[in-house]
């Protein structure tokens, strides 16, 4: 099974450790750079890209404003089409529902389509406790699972692994859980893909139950949509007798016509393609064709809390394309594990604290996992103002910690506010900085500060203060400005 994110330290601690992994940084730089160039090429082909983004945002905002109505309509459409609808308030309830459904079939294993919702609720781990094997069939998810690893990217979960590492994982692990790789496997991509294909095929043909998520759920027809690139999703959605789909409640779209907008936005923003290779749609049960027992678990798990926040709710527009990860200078250096969630990068920094709350160290730290450069907001296909939400969540975290014994940072900020509130205090502070700059001589940076200040200086190469400030220079050259 994949690793879990339970008990992760705050972002800054995990990021510092990740920065020491030079191989991971090289892997991330190469992979994100490739995806960025592909995305830029196919986006530039469209002269109405901004209009598409605005349309996508408007459709999502309409859904969020009338979510209760559309969800009831979706349930009615699904039920009319022969599916059984279940409602799950949180991860525990969703896992209990899915586990009981699998047990009812008598199956001891399931095949899975790549699904962020099932990763979010820790479904694989819950099934493992129940004695049910869950086999990931997406290639990147398979690498993560076989490597007992954690996903580090929404779209490419094994983006931190290179081909040599994947070959080692396949040789070491595949034979223990199924068809082994061929003798003499190399790190050639074609050979690695063929080894995975052969390994997974026996699981596809044997499985009686499949579990999926859905990229979109159409309220008017009860149609679920899965967008993928490898064909594994199509195998899972058509071969097994029972299909269980775990779908976040924000995935609903009013009509099939709305899908047209997102089928242009999603492939270009995620994989840099004009259209994705496989788009599977299914509407309940079709007699004699595909799964004859279809269940849909509609998952809340903190989404209604996010919906209640008038500013934060725009994070629920997210279509999980990962464009914001690929342009983020912070993500490119630390990777996804430091975010302590299946949702890493800028979108994870605003989504996790809203879905999980801000009680844990890692969720309190995530809004600060950004330089606020704005690149994430510029590329978001549904116009989520990620920098604005980061500041909004930082304010929430600060407000939650008001009162009690002030931290060193709070004392420092109060001191700075006092100093900046009077120009005479600021001028005296500048004089002190000039003296310290002369004392440090030819040093370029101030180095490590003593005591509690070391927490600040350890993370920065702060330059030494100038021996003469601009104000002093002006006064010397031009006279007193007052």
């Amino acid at each position: 099974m994949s690793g879990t994110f339970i008990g992760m330290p705050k972002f800054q601690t995990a990021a510092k450790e990740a920065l020491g992994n030079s191989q991971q940084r090289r892997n991330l730089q190469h992979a994100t750079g490739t995806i960025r160039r592909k995305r830029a090429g196919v986006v530039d082909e469209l002269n109405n890209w901004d209009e598409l983004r605005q349309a996508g945002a408007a459709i999502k905002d309409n859904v969020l404003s009338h979510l209760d109505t559309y969800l009831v309509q979706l349930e009615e459409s699904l039920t009319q089409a022969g599916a059984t609808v279940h409602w799950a308030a949180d991860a525990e309830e969703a896992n209990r529902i899915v586990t009981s459904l699998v047990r009812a079939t008598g199956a001891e294993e399931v095949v899975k389509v790549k699904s962020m919702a099932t990763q979010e609720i820790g479904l694989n781990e819950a099934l493992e406790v129940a004695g049910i094997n869950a086999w990931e069939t997406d290639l990147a998810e398979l690498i993560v699972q076989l490597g007992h690893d954690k996903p580090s990217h929404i779209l490419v979960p094994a983006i931190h692994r290179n081909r040599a590492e994947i070959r080692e994982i396949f040789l070491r692990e595949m034979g223990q859980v199924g068809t082994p790789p061929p003798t003499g496997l190399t790190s050639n991509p074609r050979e690695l893909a063929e080894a995975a294909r052969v390994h997974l095929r026996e699981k596809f043909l044997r499985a009686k139950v499949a579990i999926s998520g859905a990229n979109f759920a159409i309220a008017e027809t009860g149609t679920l949509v899965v967008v993928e690139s490898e064909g594994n999703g199509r195998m899972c959605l058509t071969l097994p007798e029972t299909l269980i789909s775990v779908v976040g409640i924000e995935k609903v779209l009013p009509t099939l016509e709305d899908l047209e907008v997102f089928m242009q936005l999603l492939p270009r923003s995620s994989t840099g393609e004009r259209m994705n290779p496989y788009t599977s749609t299914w509407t309940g049960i079709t007699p004699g064709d595909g799964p004859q027992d279809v269940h849909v678990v509609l998952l809340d798990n903190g989404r209604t809390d996010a919906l209640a926040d008038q500013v934060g709710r725009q994070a629920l527009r997210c279509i999980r394309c990962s464009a914001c990860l690929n342009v983020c200078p912070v993500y490119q250096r630390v990777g996804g594990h430091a975010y302590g969630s299946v949702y890493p990068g800028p979108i994870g920094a605003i989504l996790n604290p809203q879905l999980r709350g801000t009680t844990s160290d890692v969720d309190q730290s995530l809004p600060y996992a950004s330089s606020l450069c704005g690149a994430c907001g510029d590329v978001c296909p549904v116009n989520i103002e990620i920098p604005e939400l980061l500041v909004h969540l930082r304010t929430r975290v600060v407000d939650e910690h008001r009162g009690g014994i002030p931290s060193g940072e709070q004392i420092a900020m109060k001191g700075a506010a006092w100093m900046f509130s009077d120009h005479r205090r600021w001028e005296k502070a500048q004089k002190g900085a000039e003296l310290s700059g002369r004392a440090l001589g030819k040093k370029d940076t101030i180095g490590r500060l003593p005591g509690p200040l070391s927490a600040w200086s350890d993370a920065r190469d702060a330059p030494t203060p100038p021996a003469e400030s601009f104000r002093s220079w002006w006064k010397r050259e031009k006279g007193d400005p007052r």
Side-chain angles (χ1 to χ4, degrees):
M1 290 296 170
S2 306
T4 68
F5 289 100
I6 296 173
M8 285 288 290
K10 64 180 183 178
F11 175 83
Q12 289 80 356
T13 303
K16 188 174 184 179
E17 181 179 346
L19 285 171
N21 189 339
S22 58
Q23 180 64 58
Q24 175 174 278
R25 290 207 308 274
R26 283 193 292 272
N27 295 347
L28 287 167
Q29 186 175 17
H30 173 73
T32 56
T34 301
I35 299 173
R36 279 201 311 274
R37 285 190 292 276
K38 289 180 64 179
R39 176 199 169 275
V42 295
V43 166
D44 288 345
E45 293 175 350
L46 299 180
N47 56 15
N48 64 339
W49 180 248
D50 284 339
E51 287 79 1
L52 282 171
R53 295 175 72 201
Q54 293 169 20
I59 292 170
K60 283 287 188 177
D61 283 348
N62 171 53
V63 167
L64 296 175
S65 297
H66 306 88
L67 188 57
D68 53 345
T69 301
Y70 287 124
L71 285 173
V72 170
Q73 185 184 10
L74 175 64
E75 181 182 29
E76 292 172 351
S77 300
L78 284 165
T79 304
Q80 192 172 11
T84 303
V85 176
H86 310 261
W87 296 85
D90 53 27
E92 183 180 354
E93 186 174 13
N95 288 332
R96 187 168 62 248
I97 291 170
V98 175
T99 301
S100 64
L101 290 171
V102 177
R103 278 177 169 162
T105 68
E108 296 180 347
E109 65 176 0
V110 300
V111 288
K112 285 188 65 199
V113 187
K114 183 179 184 304
S115 161
M116 299 306 298
T118 60
Q119 290 182 25
E120 174 190 324
I121 62 176
L123 179 61
N124 285 15
E125 291 76 17
L127 291 172
E128 184 181 29
V129 171
I132 300 167
N133 291 316
W135 306 119
E136 296 289 351
T137 64
D138 173 85
L139 177 57
E141 291 287 4
L142 176 67
I143 294 166
V144 169
Q145 186 176 42
L146 290 176
H148 308 285
D149 201 352
K150 297 186 287 292
S152 63
H153 190 276
I154 290 176
L155 187 70
V156 194
I159 197 171
H160 56 294
R161 297 289 194 183
N162 60 30
R163 287 181 284 166
E165 293 173 312
I166 294 168
R167 172 183 172 272
E168 292 177 9
I169 292 171
F170 280 10
L171 290 172
R172 186 179 67 242
E173 301 288 341
M174 265 187 172
Q176 299 185 33
V177 293
T179 304
T183 304
L185 178 70
T186 73
S187 57
N188 180 286
R190 182 183 294 274
E191 290 187 31
L192 294 172
E194 178 62 17
R197 187 178 295 113
V198 173
H199 177 81
L200 290 172
R201 183 162 295 274
E202 65 162 352
K203 300 186 188 311
F204 285 133
L205 298 177
R206 191 177 63 213
K208 302 297 183 186
V209 180
I211 296 176
S212 81
N215 294 94
F216 307 102
I218 311 301
E220 72 170 354
T221 62
T223 302
L224 299 188
V225 183
V226 163
V227 178
E228 44 113 4
S229 300
E230 300 171 13
N232 63 301
R234 184 70 57 81
M235 300 283 274
C236 291
L237 298 170
T238 55
L239 291 177
E241 299 166 358
T242 298
L243 175 59
I244 304 168
S245 302
V246 181
V247 183
I249 57 175
E250 83 283 14
K251 297 293 185 182
V252 64
L253 295 180
T255 69
L256 279 171
E257 283 73 21
D258 295 319
L259 194 59
E260 176 190 351
V261 173
F262 295 97
M263 293 310 294
Q264 296 181 74
L265 291 173
L266 181 55
R268 284 180 164 82
S269 299
S270 56
T271 55
E273 297 171 298
R274 297 181 183 90
M275 63 181 293
N276 60 289
Y278 294 90
T279 299
S280 299
T281 64
W282 69 103
T283 306
I285 295 171
T286 301
D289 185 12
Q292 297 299 293
D293 188 15
V294 174
H295 297 266
V296 179
V297 181
L298 295 174
L299 176 69
D300 184 334
N301 204 35
R303 286 160 175 78
T304 49
D305 292 335
L307 187 67
D309 187 327
Q310 292 295 321
V311 178
R313 64 164 51 182
Q314 61 178 297
L316 296 177
R317 294 180 196 157
C318 178
I319 56 175
R320 311 290 193 264
C321 69
S322 305
C324 61
L325 278 68
N326 299 327
V327 298
C328 176
V330 177
Y331 175 85
Q332 289 170 37
R333 285 157 180 78
V334 304
H337 294 160
Y339 293 82
S341 165
V342 298
Y343 301 116
I347 187 62
I350 61 171
L351 198 55
N352 292 311
Q354 295 197 83
L355 295 181
R356 305 190 302 202
T358 49
T359 57
S360 69
D361 287 345
V362 64
D363 288 318
Q364 290 174 14
S365 67
L366 286 177
Y368 297 91
S370 170
S371 64
L372 298 180
C373 69
C376 49
D378 291 343
V379 298
C380 177
V382 285
N383 276 339
I384 301 174
E385 296 289 348
I386 297 177
E388 177 187 329
L389 265 65
L390 287 166
V391 174
H392 173 68
L393 291 168
R394 289 181 186 186
T395 303
R396 179 196 293 185
V397 171
V398 170
D399 287 343
E400 289 174 349
H401 287 80
R402 291 192 190 281
I405 300 175
S407 65
E409 182 182 13
Q410 289 172 322
I411 293 172
M413 290 298 107
K414 284 185 179 294
W418 176 81
M419 180 181 66
F420 285 120
S421 64
D422 188 313
H423 72 88
R424 289 165 296 188
R425 297 169 189 157
W426 172 235
E427 289 168 7
K428 289 179 181 177
Q430 283 187 315
K431 286 291 184 185
E434 289 176 4
L435 291 174
S436 63
R438 291 170 192 154
L440 290 170
K442 296 182 179 179
K443 285 186 175 181
D444 293 329
T445 61
I446 61 174
R448 193 171 196 268
L449 294 172
L453 295 175
S454 63
W456 184 83
S457 59
D458 285 352
R460 296 167 178 82
D461 291 326
T464 54
E468 183 178 37
S469 68
F470 175 78
R471 182 187 294 271
S472 296
W473 173 87
W474 184 274
K475 186 175 182 180
R476 175 167 57 79
E477 293 289 330
K478 309 290 183 180
D480 193 336
R482 286 167 293 183

